[in-house]
Amino acid sequence: MEIKDMKLSNVDISEPKFSINNSSKKIYITAKEGNFINKNEVLLEKNVKFKSNDFSIETEKVVFNRKEQTASSTDKSIFKSKNTTISSDGFDIHDKGNKIIFYGNSFIVLK
């Protein structure tokens, strides 16, 4: 393959993987694409998933702060756990994953 045949991408990281760690759990983060915003922040895009033993969150765009271990999204998101589903217009994850705040028009289903 010659250089002229290569496709250039505007993506810094393909298939990025990160995690949020605290004393009681680990939240794994995956996406199709990632771009560095600055030293600590990464914009994750396309099929962004947060997964722990207790819940999952799916959305299309998230800003993840590697140093602060926080994440924020203003895109439609779906949170799922054993007995709960929350659809929202975005979320913030703080306190190393111990606190999740949902924004905008939110809809919750308890089973």
Side-chain angles (χ1 to χ4, degrees):
M1 177 184 281
E2 292 185 34
I3 293 176
K4 67 179 183 172
D5 297 330
M6 297 174 124
K7 290 185 181 177
L8 295 177
S9 173
N10 289 331
V11 177
D12 293 331
I13 313 167
S14 185
E15 305 283 336
K17 295 180 182 178
F18 297 100
S19 65
I20 296 174
N21 305 296
N22 67 38
S23 58
S24 63
K25 68 177 168 257
K26 193 174 232 184
I27 302 168
Y28 296 97
I29 307 164
T30 59
K32 292 284 183 199
E33 299 176 357
N35 284 292
F36 292 103
I37 298 170
N38 57 44
K39 180 180 170 184
N40 295 316
E41 292 180 313
V42 180
L43 174 63
L44 302 173
E45 294 184 280
K46 299 183 181 173
N47 199 26
V48 183
K49 295 182 182 181
F50 291 75
K51 193 160 181 67
S52 76
N53 289 336
D54 302 321
F55 69 87
S56 68
I57 300 175
E58 296 183 13
T59 190
E60 287 301 309
K61 192 182 293 184
V62 171
V63 174
F64 174 61
N65 187 309
R66 299 182 304 159
K67 181 179 178 187
E68 301 295 326
Q69 298 271 287
T70 61
S72 182
S73 177
T74 55
D75 281 25
K76 291 217 176 287
S77 307
I78 297 178
F79 169 95
K80 292 180 184 176
S81 68
K82 186 176 179 185
N83 296 314
T84 307
T85 301
I86 300 171
S87 298
S88 70
D89 289 335
F91 63 90
D92 282 338
I93 297 178
H94 293 284
D95 193 21
K96 295 188 177 180
N98 288 320
K99 292 181 184 174
I100 304 173
I101 300 169
F102 297 96
Y103 292 111
N105 293 321
S106 299
F107 183 77
I108 185 167
V109 176
L110 303 173
K111 296 176 185 174

